[in-house]
Amino acid sequence: MNNEHQNINTQLSSQEEAKVKEIYEDLAHWHVNTGDQTIHAKRMGGRFRQLKWFTASLWLSYFLAPYLRWDGQQAILFDIPDRQFHLFGLTVHPQDVWLLSLILILMAMVLFGVTAVAGRVFCGYFCFQTVWTDIFTWIEEKIEGNPTQRRKLDQGPLNGDKIKKKLIKHSLWTLIGVLTGVTFAAYFTDAYQLWIDYFTLNAHMSAWIVLGLFTLGTYFLAGWLREQTCLWLCPYARIQGVMYDRTTILPAYDAVRGEPRGKVKDPNRGSCIDCRLCVAVCPTGIDIRQGQQEGCITCGLCIDACDSIMEQVNQPKGLVRYASLNELEGRTDKPLLKRPRVIVYTSIILASFIGVIYGLSTMSAIDWHVLHQRQPLYTMMSDGTVQNKYTFKILNKTESEMRAHVEIKGPSDIAIIGIEDTIVLRADKMVPFDVYLRADPKQLPQEHTGITFILTTQTEPPMTFTYGSVIVRPAR
Ligand code: SF4
Ligand code: SF4
């Protein structure tokens, strides 16, 4: 370590020295988050900052998706009254709940797998809490200035300027909260009509409740609580620790290279000049130099900050970098695919993915159930035939009406009664109806004789669905 420190260049040009002095002065008051103060993190450029903007921009799709149309229908619609989920022409019914469960498992496993490999990157780059907070604090900076100016404004007297700035900021925050709420509600009803209903005060009570909750929630969580939510409230922050191991790659401070930290002129210092810029930019207000912490959302902003300092003091970048504990301690990491938890997560992800693809590709246009009546199992008719009763439940899962024909396959001479030659299956509807089978009991070889109902649609091309059941006669 000492050899390394001897190589530290403490000779800076007067210009570089002035810059570093400015940084020291600017950051002298910065302290780690103790939960009792609003965090006003410093904003600066860098590759992770850019990545964060890019991933945040993907959330624009959240605001736009409800207005997309597919075959004349809303492309994404959670139709709660009809218990259906429409997704780009595909309709998922409660009967397909296994498919939704698989999709949820798939999403959870992707999250766990990513966490095992690279920590809370979801939190740092994509979580709605951090993304919305980032937008809110960006607005705050545009209106109230940099963190120092914001602190001064907060502590200063209530004057015209302060009232004006606060009013603009809180109005914009509320507006984003309202847009977030309307958008969420728009996934559950016709999005265009919803706006009309809100403006004409004709929206359903549930739409108002959703709007109220989301506006308040967004305003409070992203405007007031900010990353305190990540540090103190988020349950995921609490459980992520069990997914980490010594090979997980996280933003980390290279203490071997950085310590002992010291002021830039100190010839015995390590690479860390103790400028605290990494603390100042941290949205959760933690000091990465204290090691891995559950408050770290792995956003990488401290890496950008430290790299910029290393550049200024003519030292190699990467004092703070994405690295595993093994790497920092000079051990070799196991290859990614030899880590048991990565193998387990990957296997579950693959299995769920295959299940989802299979489910989507084999999802039937018709869901059909035939219930054989139990009480009584059969009725003897006056002409000597035996009659069985069945309830048909046919759900047409498509968006258009269909016509179909039902026939029976089994021992000959089974009459089917109570059903038209052509039945009409209304779009997205299931109307149960009763059907009777009549047969000469002597023609039925067994007490419970197997039969098959065959339903053929009059579509182009026709679709055929079969349902196995039994016809029952008295014992001989
Ligand atoms: S780790 Fe980097 S940014 Fe943080 S105090 Fe040290 S030199 Fe400054
Ligand atoms: S310590 Fe670094 S990576 Fe972690 S939250 Fe703070 S800025 Fe982001």
Side-chain angles (χ1 to χ4, degrees):
M1 194 193 296
N2 286 338
N3 283 344
E4 195 179 336
H5 293 162
Q6 278 158 19
N7 295 332
I8 299 285
N9 178 13
T10 54
Q11 300 303 309
L12 303 179
S13 68
S14 53
Q15 214 179 358
E16 286 166 340
E17 229 176 85
K19 266 193 184 168
V20 172
K21 192 166 167 244
E22 213 175 283
I23 292 169
Y24 278 133
E25 280 166 8
D26 184 31
L27 304 173
H29 59 280
W30 236 286
H31 62 84
V32 292
N33 180 12
T34 48
D36 54 352
Q37 279 184 23
T38 306
I39 296 184
H40 289 296
K42 194 175 172 67
R43 271 173 188 270
M44 54 185 297
R47 54 202 167 120
F48 292 106
R49 176 73 259 176
Q50 277 174 357
L51 182 60
K52 207 166 155 61
W53 277 127
F54 170 73
T55 50
S57 69
L58 299 177
W59 272 101
L60 274 178
S61 56
Y62 165 78
F63 289 99
L64 300 178
Y67 305 98
L68 292 178
R69 288 293 183 263
W70 191 270
D71 281 345
Q73 307 270 336
Q74 189 158 321
I76 305 173
L77 178 67
F78 294 88
D79 184 353
I80 302 287
D82 288 329
R83 297 191 294 158
Q84 293 165 1
F85 169 41
H86 301 272
L87 183 69
F88 293 98
L90 189 82
T91 303
V92 181
H93 293 81
Q95 292 85 344
D96 306 312
V97 72
W98 64 273
L99 188 60
L100 287 178
S101 312
L102 263 188
I103 292 173
L104 288 178
I105 292 174
L106 178 65
M107 285 160 65
M109 284 303 131
V110 168
L111 184 63
F112 293 171
V114 167
T115 307
V117 172
R120 288 172 78 182
V121 279
F122 170 77
C123 305
Y125 297 98
F126 201 66
C127 170
F128 43 84
Q129 171 64 28
T130 56
V131 169
W132 263 244
T133 302
D134 206 30
I135 308 283
F136 273 45
T137 50
W138 178 79
I139 290 172
E140 187 174 65
E141 178 141 319
K142 293 287 164 222
I143 297 167
E144 296 181 358
N146 64 34
T148 313
Q149 292 165 324
R150 268 134 69 190
R151 275 195 208 94
K152 266 193 196 147
L153 188 75
D154 286 350
Q155 288 154 10
L158 193 65
N159 53 26
D161 182 51
K162 183 167 176 174
I163 292 175
K164 188 180 95 188
K165 284 179 173 165
K166 295 283 176 196
L167 206 64
I168 297 174
K169 180 182 84 172
H170 289 287
S171 306
L172 287 174
W173 283 2
T174 309
L175 182 66
I176 295 178
V178 169
L179 281 176
T180 307
V182 174
T183 305
F184 187 80
Y187 283 95
F188 295 87
T189 185
D190 184 281
Y192 293 101
Q193 183 61 40
L194 181 69
W195 279 101
I196 297 171
D197 291 347
Y198 275 132
F199 277 116
T200 54
L201 303 182
N202 284 323
H204 191 271
M205 179 57 78
S206 55
W208 287 112
I209 293 174
V210 167
L211 178 58
L213 287 178
F214 270 74
T215 306
L216 276 178
T218 309
Y219 175 80
F220 186 63
L221 288 170
W224 290 93
L225 276 184
R226 307 179 180 205
E227 271 89 357
Q228 302 288 13
T229 314
C230 316
L231 198 57
W232 310 105
L233 293 183
C234 176
Y236 185 53
R238 302 286 169 276
I239 58 167
Q240 55 162 336
V242 297
M243 294 170 223
Y244 289 178
D245 59 22
R246 303 187 64 78
T247 59
T248 305
I249 300 160
L250 301 166
Y253 167 68
D254 187 345
V256 174
R257 187 184 143 194
E259 297 297 316
R261 64 191 76 163
K263 294 298 171 197
V264 71
K265 288 276 193 182
D266 180 352
N268 297 316
R269 67 169 169 84
S271 289
C272 176
I273 64 164
D274 204 17
C275 63
R276 316 185 90 201
L277 187 58
C278 51
V279 184
V281 297
C282 177
T284 58
I286 63 171
D287 186 345
I288 190 69
R289 295 172 301 167
Q290 290 170 4
Q292 289 182 355
Q293 294 155 69
E294 62 183 22
C296 176
I297 55 171
T298 70
C299 62
L301 298 182
C302 53
I303 301 178
D304 282 341
C306 192
D307 280 351
S308 76
I309 294 294
M310 291 298 107
E311 218 170 315
Q312 299 212 24
V313 295
N314 301 322
Q315 287 180 37
K317 294 177 180 178
L319 174 60
V320 180
R321 62 179 184 275
Y322 271 98
S324 68
L325 280 178
N326 277 352
E327 184 199 326
L328 290 175
E329 289 171 8
R331 300 184 204 172
T332 324
D333 270 351
K334 273 189 193 171
L336 198 61
L337 287 175
K338 285 201 174 161
R339 299 176 199 168
R341 67 181 65 203
V342 174
I343 295 170
V344 171
Y345 289 136
T346 312
S347 311
I348 301 175
I349 290 168
L350 274 178
S352 336
F353 184 71
I354 292 169
V356 170
I357 297 297
Y358 172 79
L360 290 175
S361 57
T362 58
M363 195 178 271
S364 161
I366 281 181
D367 200 60
W368 183 25
H369 293 278
V370 179
L371 308 174
H372 185 256
Q373 185 177 306
R374 301 268 157 209
Q375 291 292 341
L377 266 175
Y378 57 85
T379 309
M380 289 308 299
M381 308 304 284
S382 54
D383 61 0
T385 56
V386 63
Q387 174 172 287
N388 283 212
K389 183 180 172 188
Y390 305 82
T391 302
F392 274 28
K393 291 184 173 178
I394 309 174
L395 170 64
N396 172 4
K397 296 201 275 183
T398 68
E399 304 287 328
S400 41
E401 192 174 277
M402 268 194 236
R403 280 159 199 281
H405 167 73
V406 176
E407 56 192 324
I408 180 103
K409 192 173 150 203
S412 54
D413 290 338
I414 297 180
I416 182 162
I417 298 163
I419 190 166
E420 305 284 329
D421 242 14
T422 300
I423 52 172
V424 178
L425 307 174
R426 286 168 56 205
D428 264 339
K429 287 276 176 290
M430 198 261 300
V431 184
F433 58 94
D434 293 333
V435 170
Y436 301 88
L437 292 189
R438 264 188 218 165
D440 179 353
K442 294 189 203 93
Q443 300 287 327
L444 300 174
Q446 287 150 347
E447 205 177 319
H448 289 73
T449 301
I451 51 164
T452 306
F453 290 100
I454 303 167
L455 182 144
T456 310
T457 61
Q458 294 171 5
T459 50
E460 201 47 59
M463 295 178 279
T464 301
F465 305 88
T466 57
Y467 202 99
S469 188
V470 288
I471 182 166
V472 184
R473 62 157 169 79
R476 284 178 190 149

